Amino acid sequence: MNETPRGSGAVTEAAQRLLQASAGRAPCTPVRDLIGADDVKSAYAVQELLTAHRLESGARVTGRKIGLTSPAVQAQLGVNQPDFGVLFDDMQVTDAGPVPAGRLIQPKVEAEIAFVLGTDLAEGPLDDEQVRAAVAYASPALEIVDSRIADWDITFGDTVADNGSSALYVLGRAQQTLAEFEPVDATMTLARAGEIVSSGTGAACLGDPLNALAWLARTAREVGSPLRAGEVVLSGALGPMVVAQAGDAFTADITGLGSVSVRFPASDTSDAASVPASDEGASA
């Protein structure tokens, strides 16, 4: 992230466009016309403005999410690294509970391994040994991603600016230490109404979900916002994400870790009608 960001006016305008889309639940045009498709510094500058807005509104940071952990998706967007976004206290949905009505625009669901940190990752080498030792436990998780960009027409710059296309997340009840559970060996199935709609393995997430956590630890410290004890880290999708519609119910099973579920009430006015079915193969 050594690039010089674009002018503050462009960054501010991009943030305002995304804020208006979120507030009105009406997707906007991509922000790459303002900040570029691959300008990493400018994209994170937009994200920082949006984070500041949330904090000023009373939200509290509870963790981070990692995206673009699949090499295929990185190649699709022309990047060679993952991205990250910020999790806030109002983003967590109770396991097996309903998605709050009126929160989403064009949601999708993906299954992940969540790590909850027992110690800070702010000092030291942040090598594999230190990162592994910092994990208090792992839990099965669902990330409900959403894009404020119309039709998910995103580049790397668009999704980073839009807080990693994040929206909500669900943590399962299981809590396994890394002495009890090895993330890279996990296999995952995601079912919608009992039908498997996505599957994958721990190795699909940067070769090992702990690799993703290590990348985030180093990157977060580099940008001046290191990971802290108690934070939740969504380590990245284990398989393709799936479009969610009102009335859907999803359950993910991760071997050695357990299951996690969420439902989208039929009365929820949010829908994914504008999302092309072909978009289900990507991971945010």
Side-chain angles (χ1 to χ4, degrees):
M1 301 184 192
N2 296 319
E3 304 93 334
T4 301
R6 303 195 178 210
S8 60
V11 168
T12 300
E13 186 176 347
Q16 287 297 323
R17 184 182 297 178
L18 291 167
L19 281 172
Q20 290 172 6
S22 180
R25 291 186 62 237
C28 62
T29 58
V31 296
R32 56 183 176 268
D33 63 319
L34 298 169
I35 62 168
D38 55 6
D39 185 336
V40 178
K41 194 77 172 181
S42 294
Y44 278 109
V46 176
Q47 185 184 123
E48 289 170 7
L49 283 181
L50 296 177
T51 296
H53 179 269
R54 292 297 314 279
L55 295 176
E56 290 167 1
S57 300
R60 179 175 57 87
V61 173
T62 55
R64 321 292 170 88
K65 64 146 288 180
I66 308 171
L68 302 179
T69 53
S70 162
V73 177
Q74 289 183 11
Q76 182 182 24
L77 294 181
V79 299
N80 60 4
Q81 63 175 316
D83 71 346
F84 70 87
V86 179
L87 302 179
F88 298 97
D89 55 342
D90 63 350
M91 292 171 64
Q92 185 171 357
V93 178
T94 303
D95 185 19
V99 169
R103 287 285 296 272
L104 305 174
I105 301 174
Q106 43 189 358
K108 301 182 182 185
V109 175
E110 55 190 27
E112 311 191 9
I113 295 169
F115 297 114
V116 177
L117 300 182
T119 60
D120 293 351
L121 284 170
E123 307 293 340
L126 300 184
D127 56 14
D128 293 346
E129 182 179 1
Q130 181 185 358
V131 168
R132 186 182 185 96
V135 175
Y137 60 85
S139 291
L142 292 171
E143 184 181 3
I144 302 164
V145 293
D146 198 10
S147 181
R148 273 52 65 175
I149 306 297
D151 299 322
W152 280 87
D153 178 16
I154 58 173
T155 62
F156 185 78
D158 295 306
T159 188
V160 168
D162 191 22
N163 198 29
S165 302
S166 63
L168 303 169
Y169 68 96
V170 190
L171 297 183
R173 293 177 175 83
Q175 299 179 358
Q176 298 276 62
T177 69
L178 296 186
E180 302 168 309
F181 168 72
E182 191 58 54
V184 71
D185 295 335
T187 60
M188 177 278 297
T189 57
L190 176 66
R192 177 173 54 204
E195 177 185 358
I196 294 176
V197 290
S198 179
S199 61
T201 68
C205 179
L206 282 188
D208 184 334
L210 288 171
N211 291 342
L213 177 59
W215 171 86
L216 177 63
R218 293 188 286 268
T219 303
R221 183 173 69 177
E222 178 185 337
V223 301
S225 183
L227 300 178
R228 299 297 184 184
E231 287 194 341
V232 176
V233 175
L234 302 181
S235 61
L238 302 181
M241 60 185 178
V242 180
V243 170
Q245 303 276 8
D248 284 345
F250 293 89
T251 297
D253 289 291
I254 299 177
T255 57
L257 195 55
S259 64
V260 57
S261 301
V262 74
R263 54 191 174 88
F264 291 76
S267 60
D268 188 356
T269 56
S270 66
D271 63 69
S274 64
V275 183
S278 61
D279 278 358
E280 291 197 7
S283 299

